[in-house]
mmCIF file of all heavy atoms in Angstrom:
data_model
loop_
_atom_site.group_PDB
_atom_site.id
_atom_site.type_symbol
_atom_site.label_atom_id
_atom_site.label_comp_id
_atom_site.label_asym_id
_atom_site.label_seq_id
_atom_site.Cartn_x
_atom_site.Cartn_y
_atom_site.Cartn_z
ATOM 1 N N SER A 1 -19.764 -58.639 -50.116
ATOM 2 C CA SER A 1 -20.069 -58.370 -48.707
ATOM 3 C C SER A 1 -20.658 -59.584 -48.009
ATOM 4 O O SER A 1 -20.862 -59.567 -46.796
ATOM 5 C CB SER A 1 -21.030 -57.177 -48.577
ATOM 6 O OG SER A 1 -22.294 -57.488 -49.116
ATOM 7 N N GLY A 2 -20.894 -60.660 -48.764
ATOM 8 C CA GLY A 2 -21.340 -61.910 -48.176
ATOM 9 C C GLY A 2 -20.184 -62.872 -48.010
ATOM 10 O O GLY A 2 -19.510 -62.894 -46.977
ATOM 11 N N ALA A 3 -19.896 -63.663 -49.047
ATOM 12 C CA ALA A 3 -18.899 -64.738 -48.939
ATOM 13 C C ALA A 3 -17.485 -64.206 -48.671
ATOM 14 O O ALA A 3 -16.816 -64.632 -47.732
ATOM 15 C CB ALA A 3 -18.923 -65.574 -50.217
ATOM 16 N N VAL A 4 -17.000 -63.267 -49.499
ATOM 17 C CA VAL A 4 -15.629 -62.770 -49.343
ATOM 18 C C VAL A 4 -15.452 -62.058 -48.002
ATOM 19 O O VAL A 4 -14.455 -62.258 -47.297
ATOM 20 C CB VAL A 4 -15.260 -61.824 -50.509
ATOM 21 C CG1 VAL A 4 -13.895 -61.180 -50.264
ATOM 22 C CG2 VAL A 4 -15.250 -62.584 -51.832
ATOM 23 N N ALA A 5 -16.435 -61.228 -47.633
ATOM 24 C CA ALA A 5 -16.332 -60.483 -46.376
ATOM 25 C C ALA A 5 -16.273 -61.423 -45.174
ATOM 26 O O ALA A 5 -15.511 -61.184 -44.229
ATOM 27 C CB ALA A 5 -17.506 -59.518 -46.234
ATOM 28 N N PHE A 6 -17.032 -62.513 -45.201
ATOM 29 C CA PHE A 6 -16.994 -63.429 -44.073
ATOM 30 C C PHE A 6 -15.684 -64.199 -44.016
ATOM 31 O O PHE A 6 -15.200 -64.551 -42.939
ATOM 32 C CB PHE A 6 -18.190 -64.367 -44.099
ATOM 33 C CG PHE A 6 -19.397 -63.807 -43.411
ATOM 34 C CD1 PHE A 6 -20.464 -63.316 -44.140
ATOM 35 C CD2 PHE A 6 -19.459 -63.740 -42.027
ATOM 36 C CE1 PHE A 6 -21.578 -62.778 -43.511
ATOM 37 C CE2 PHE A 6 -20.559 -63.212 -41.383
ATOM 38 C CZ PHE A 6 -21.627 -62.723 -42.120
ATOM 39 N N LEU A 7 -15.078 -64.445 -45.156
ATOM 40 C CA LEU A 7 -13.759 -65.066 -45.142
ATOM 41 C C LEU A 7 -12.738 -64.124 -44.511
ATOM 42 O O LEU A 7 -11.873 -64.551 -43.733
ATOM 43 C CB LEU A 7 -13.330 -65.438 -46.567
ATOM 44 C CG LEU A 7 -14.149 -66.543 -47.246
ATOM 45 C CD1 LEU A 7 -13.640 -66.777 -48.658
ATOM 46 C CD2 LEU A 7 -14.077 -67.835 -46.440
ATOM 47 N N LEU A 8 -12.827 -62.831 -44.837
ATOM 48 C CA LEU A 8 -11.964 -61.842 -44.177
ATOM 49 C C LEU A 8 -12.261 -61.780 -42.683
ATOM 50 O O LEU A 8 -11.347 -61.655 -41.860
ATOM 51 C CB LEU A 8 -12.174 -60.452 -44.795
ATOM 52 C CG LEU A 8 -11.645 -60.209 -46.206
ATOM 53 C CD1 LEU A 8 -11.880 -58.762 -46.604
ATOM 54 C CD2 LEU A 8 -10.172 -60.554 -46.300
ATOM 55 N N TYR A 9 -13.530 -61.867 -42.341
ATOM 56 C CA TYR A 9 -13.926 -61.831 -40.936
ATOM 57 C C TYR A 9 -13.280 -62.970 -40.150
ATOM 58 O O TYR A 9 -12.744 -62.762 -39.064
ATOM 59 C CB TYR A 9 -15.453 -61.913 -40.841
ATOM 60 C CG TYR A 9 -15.965 -62.044 -39.426
ATOM 61 C CD1 TYR A 9 -16.104 -60.926 -38.609
ATOM 62 C CD2 TYR A 9 -16.317 -63.291 -38.913
ATOM 63 C CE1 TYR A 9 -16.572 -61.044 -37.311
ATOM 64 C CE2 TYR A 9 -16.783 -63.417 -37.618
ATOM 65 C CZ TYR A 9 -16.913 -62.293 -36.821
ATOM 66 O OH TYR A 9 -17.361 -62.429 -35.531
ATOM 67 N N PHE A 10 -13.316 -64.192 -40.710
ATOM 68 C CA PHE A 10 -12.713 -65.334 -40.039
ATOM 69 C C PHE A 10 -11.205 -65.140 -39.861
ATOM 70 O O PHE A 10 -10.644 -65.457 -38.817
ATOM 71 C CB PHE A 10 -12.973 -66.625 -40.825
ATOM 72 C CG PHE A 10 -14.424 -66.971 -40.958
ATOM 73 C CD1 PHE A 10 -14.923 -67.487 -42.152
ATOM 74 C CD2 PHE A 10 -15.296 -66.784 -39.908
ATOM 75 C CE1 PHE A 10 -16.262 -67.806 -42.277
ATOM 76 C CE2 PHE A 10 -16.639 -67.103 -40.024
ATOM 77 C CZ PHE A 10 -17.121 -67.611 -41.215
ATOM 78 N N GLU A 11 -10.556 -64.592 -40.888
ATOM 79 C CA GLU A 11 -9.120 -64.359 -40.812
ATOM 80 C C GLU A 11 -8.793 -63.321 -39.742
ATOM 81 O O GLU A 11 -7.874 -63.501 -38.935
ATOM 82 C CB GLU A 11 -8.597 -63.893 -42.172
ATOM 83 C CG GLU A 11 -7.123 -63.525 -42.211
ATOM 84 C CD GLU A 11 -6.197 -64.700 -41.928
ATOM 85 O OE1 GLU A 11 -6.625 -65.856 -42.134
ATOM 86 O OE2 GLU A 11 -5.054 -64.473 -41.501
ATOM 87 N N LEU A 12 -9.552 -62.227 -39.716
ATOM 88 C CA LEU A 12 -9.316 -61.177 -38.718
ATOM 89 C C LEU A 12 -9.677 -61.648 -37.312
ATOM 90 O O LEU A 12 -9.041 -61.247 -36.337
ATOM 91 C CB LEU A 12 -10.121 -59.928 -39.075
ATOM 92 C CG LEU A 12 -9.576 -59.111 -40.247
ATOM 93 C CD1 LEU A 12 -10.580 -58.051 -40.677
ATOM 94 C CD2 LEU A 12 -8.249 -58.459 -39.881
ATOM 95 N N LEU A 13 -10.689 -62.491 -37.209
ATOM 96 C CA LEU A 13 -11.057 -63.028 -35.905
ATOM 97 C C LEU A 13 -9.904 -63.839 -35.325
ATOM 98 O O LEU A 13 -9.619 -63.779 -34.127
ATOM 99 C CB LEU A 13 -12.299 -63.911 -36.043
ATOM 100 C CG LEU A 13 -12.956 -64.397 -34.749
ATOM 101 C CD1 LEU A 13 -13.471 -63.212 -33.933
ATOM 102 C CD2 LEU A 13 -14.086 -65.374 -35.061
ATOM 103 N N ASP A 14 -9.215 -64.554 -36.203
ATOM 104 C CA ASP A 14 -8.066 -65.341 -35.765
ATOM 105 C C ASP A 14 -6.889 -64.437 -35.384
ATOM 106 O O ASP A 14 -6.163 -64.709 -34.436
ATOM 107 C CB ASP A 14 -7.658 -66.316 -36.874
ATOM 108 C CG ASP A 14 -6.508 -67.220 -36.454
ATOM 109 O OD1 ASP A 14 -6.649 -67.935 -35.454
ATOM 110 O OD2 ASP A 14 -5.462 -67.202 -37.125
ATOM 111 N N ARG A 15 -6.700 -63.333 -36.128
ATOM 112 C CA ARG A 15 -5.569 -62.444 -35.875
ATOM 113 C C ARG A 15 -5.804 -61.506 -34.691
ATOM 114 O O ARG A 15 -4.903 -61.249 -33.893
ATOM 115 C CB ARG A 15 -5.279 -61.585 -37.114
ATOM 116 C CG ARG A 15 -4.822 -62.350 -38.332
ATOM 117 C CD ARG A 15 -4.366 -61.354 -39.398
ATOM 118 N NE ARG A 15 -4.072 -62.005 -40.672
ATOM 119 C CZ ARG A 15 -3.512 -61.392 -41.701
ATOM 120 N NH1 ARG A 15 -3.192 -60.108 -41.600
ATOM 121 N NH2 ARG A 15 -3.284 -62.035 -42.831
ATOM 122 N N LEU A 16 -7.021 -60.954 -34.590
ATOM 123 C CA LEU A 16 -7.298 -59.902 -33.619
ATOM 124 C C LEU A 16 -8.083 -60.385 -32.404
ATOM 125 O O LEU A 16 -7.943 -59.817 -31.318
ATOM 126 C CB LEU A 16 -8.083 -58.762 -34.283
ATOM 127 C CG LEU A 16 -7.417 -58.037 -35.454
ATOM 128 C CD1 LEU A 16 -8.389 -57.041 -36.059
ATOM 129 C CD2 LEU A 16 -6.152 -57.329 -34.999
ATOM 130 N N GLY A 17 -8.926 -61.380 -32.605
ATOM 131 C CA GLY A 17 -9.839 -61.784 -31.556
ATOM 132 C C GLY A 17 -11.096 -60.937 -31.603
ATOM 133 O O GLY A 17 -11.144 -59.884 -32.247
ATOM 134 N N PRO A 18 -12.150 -61.369 -30.904
ATOM 135 C CA PRO A 18 -13.434 -60.672 -30.982
ATOM 136 C C PRO A 18 -13.417 -59.274 -30.368
ATOM 137 O O PRO A 18 -14.203 -58.416 -30.757
ATOM 138 C CB PRO A 18 -14.380 -61.599 -30.206
ATOM 139 C CG PRO A 18 -13.485 -62.391 -29.306
ATOM 140 C CD PRO A 18 -12.199 -62.561 -30.058
ATOM 141 N N THR A 19 -12.516 -59.016 -29.419
ATOM 142 C CA THR A 19 -12.500 -57.723 -28.736
ATOM 143 C C THR A 19 -12.197 -56.584 -29.698
ATOM 144 O O THR A 19 -12.965 -55.623 -29.824
ATOM 145 C CB THR A 19 -11.465 -57.731 -27.598
ATOM 146 O OG1 THR A 19 -11.822 -58.746 -26.655
ATOM 147 C CG2 THR A 19 -11.439 -56.387 -26.895
ATOM 148 N N GLU A 20 -11.090 -56.676 -30.402
ATOM 149 C CA GLU A 20 -10.727 -55.624 -31.349
ATOM 150 C C GLU A 20 -11.653 -55.611 -32.566
ATOM 151 O O GLU A 20 -12.044 -54.550 -33.054
ATOM 152 C CB GLU A 20 -9.278 -55.809 -31.806
ATOM 153 C CG GLU A 20 -8.253 -55.527 -30.730
ATOM 154 C CD GLU A 20 -6.833 -55.623 -31.266
ATOM 155 O OE1 GLU A 20 -6.504 -54.867 -32.202
ATOM 156 O OE2 GLU A 20 -6.057 -56.444 -30.755
ATOM 157 N N LEU A 21 -12.025 -56.798 -33.034
ATOM 158 C CA LEU A 21 -12.839 -56.870 -34.249
ATOM 159 C C LEU A 21 -14.229 -56.292 -34.031
ATOM 160 O O LEU A 21 -14.878 -55.827 -34.976
ATOM 161 C CB LEU A 21 -12.917 -58.318 -34.719
ATOM 162 C CG LEU A 21 -13.501 -58.569 -36.113
ATOM 163 C CD1 LEU A 21 -12.797 -57.720 -37.165
ATOM 164 C CD2 LEU A 21 -13.420 -60.038 -36.470
ATOM 165 N N ASN A 22 -14.703 -56.290 -32.788
ATOM 166 C CA ASN A 22 -16.029 -55.764 -32.467
ATOM 167 C C ASN A 22 -16.173 -54.296 -32.850
ATOM 168 O O ASN A 22 -17.272 -53.816 -33.116
ATOM 169 C CB ASN A 22 -16.285 -55.940 -30.965
ATOM 170 C CG ASN A 22 -17.754 -55.828 -30.614
ATOM 171 O OD1 ASN A 22 -18.615 -56.158 -31.419
ATOM 172 N ND2 ASN A 22 -18.043 -55.366 -29.425
ATOM 173 N N LEU A 23 -15.043 -53.578 -32.912
ATOM 174 C CA LEU A 23 -15.081 -52.147 -33.231
ATOM 175 C C LEU A 23 -15.439 -51.869 -34.683
ATOM 176 O O LEU A 23 -15.728 -50.724 -35.044
ATOM 177 C CB LEU A 23 -13.725 -51.506 -32.910
ATOM 178 C CG LEU A 23 -13.374 -51.402 -31.426
ATOM 179 C CD1 LEU A 23 -11.980 -50.835 -31.252
ATOM 180 C CD2 LEU A 23 -14.394 -50.559 -30.683
ATOM 181 N N ILE A 24 -15.439 -52.887 -35.504
ATOM 182 C CA ILE A 24 -15.728 -52.659 -36.920
ATOM 183 C C ILE A 24 -17.151 -52.140 -37.119
ATOM 184 O O ILE A 24 -17.435 -51.433 -38.085
ATOM 185 C CB ILE A 24 -15.498 -53.949 -37.744
ATOM 186 C CG1 ILE A 24 -15.264 -53.595 -39.212
ATOM 187 C CG2 ILE A 24 -16.675 -54.937 -37.606
ATOM 188 C CD1 ILE A 24 -14.666 -54.723 -40.007
ATOM 189 N N GLY A 25 -18.029 -52.447 -36.168
ATOM 190 C CA GLY A 25 -19.400 -51.960 -36.262
ATOM 191 C C GLY A 25 -19.511 -50.449 -36.193
ATOM 192 O O GLY A 25 -20.538 -49.884 -36.585
ATOM 193 N N TYR A 26 -18.457 -49.778 -35.721
ATOM 194 C CA TYR A 26 -18.474 -48.322 -35.639
ATOM 195 C C TYR A 26 -17.693 -47.665 -36.777
ATOM 196 O O TYR A 26 -17.651 -46.436 -36.867
ATOM 197 C CB TYR A 26 -17.953 -47.873 -34.271
ATOM 198 C CG TYR A 26 -18.928 -48.271 -33.198
ATOM 199 C CD1 TYR A 26 -18.778 -49.469 -32.517
ATOM 200 C CD2 TYR A 26 -20.038 -47.497 -32.929
ATOM 201 C CE1 TYR A 26 -19.704 -49.875 -31.574
ATOM 202 C CE2 TYR A 26 -20.973 -47.881 -31.983
ATOM 203 C CZ TYR A 26 -20.804 -49.075 -31.311
ATOM 204 O OH TYR A 26 -21.733 -49.467 -30.397
ATOM 205 N N VAL A 27 -17.103 -48.466 -37.629
ATOM 206 C CA VAL A 27 -16.487 -47.955 -38.850
ATOM 207 C C VAL A 27 -17.479 -48.054 -40.006
ATOM 208 O O VAL A 27 -17.496 -47.200 -40.900
ATOM 209 C CB VAL A 27 -15.194 -48.735 -39.178
ATOM 210 C CG1 VAL A 27 -14.522 -48.162 -40.423
ATOM 211 C CG2 VAL A 27 -14.233 -48.696 -37.992
ATOM 212 N N GLU A 28 -18.330 -49.068 -39.968
ATOM 213 C CA GLU A 28 -19.295 -49.286 -41.048
ATOM 214 C C GLU A 28 -20.187 -48.079 -41.319
ATOM 215 O O GLU A 28 -20.391 -47.720 -42.489
ATOM 216 C CB GLU A 28 -20.158 -50.511 -40.735
ATOM 217 C CG GLU A 28 -19.405 -51.825 -40.787
ATOM 218 C CD GLU A 28 -20.246 -52.969 -40.266
ATOM 219 O OE1 GLU A 28 -21.490 -52.890 -40.385
ATOM 220 O OE2 GLU A 28 -19.681 -53.939 -39.735
ATOM 221 N N PRO A 29 -20.768 -47.411 -40.283
ATOM 222 C CA PRO A 29 -21.612 -46.252 -40.588
ATOM 223 C C PRO A 29 -20.864 -45.128 -41.286
ATOM 224 O O PRO A 29 -21.453 -44.397 -42.098
ATOM 225 C CB PRO A 29 -22.109 -45.806 -39.201
ATOM 226 C CG PRO A 29 -22.016 -47.020 -38.359
ATOM 227 C CD PRO A 29 -20.800 -47.745 -38.853
ATOM 228 N N VAL A 30 -19.583 -44.969 -40.988
ATOM 229 C CA VAL A 30 -18.783 -43.938 -41.652
ATOM 230 C C VAL A 30 -18.670 -44.261 -43.139
ATOM 231 O O VAL A 30 -18.860 -43.393 -44.005
ATOM 232 C CB VAL A 30 -17.383 -43.844 -41.009
ATOM 233 C CG1 VAL A 30 -16.532 -42.818 -41.743
ATOM 234 C CG2 VAL A 30 -17.493 -43.486 -39.529
ATOM 235 N N VAL A 31 -18.362 -45.529 -43.439
ATOM 236 C CA VAL A 31 -18.277 -45.963 -44.835
ATOM 237 C C VAL A 31 -19.626 -45.811 -45.526
ATOM 238 O O VAL A 31 -19.714 -45.318 -46.655
ATOM 239 C CB VAL A 31 -17.790 -47.419 -44.912
ATOM 240 C CG1 VAL A 31 -17.791 -47.902 -46.366
ATOM 241 C CG2 VAL A 31 -16.394 -47.556 -44.321
#
């Protein structure tokens, strides 16, 4: 959840942009 997750974050930021990726904060509580 540190190094690997941030690498995924950078990849998704490039693919989706910050607008769509911002919604991940509302999936985390469900998980």
Side-chain angles (χ1 to χ4, degrees):
S1 67
V4 173
F6 273 104
L7 293 178
L8 289 183
Y9 173 82
F10 298 140
E11 176 64 23
L12 286 170
L13 189 63
D14 183 58
R15 295 189 187 188
L16 299 175
T19 299
E20 290 184 59
L21 191 53
N22 198 30
L23 291 176
I24 202 164
Y26 292 93
V27 182
E28 291 171 29
V30 177
V31 176

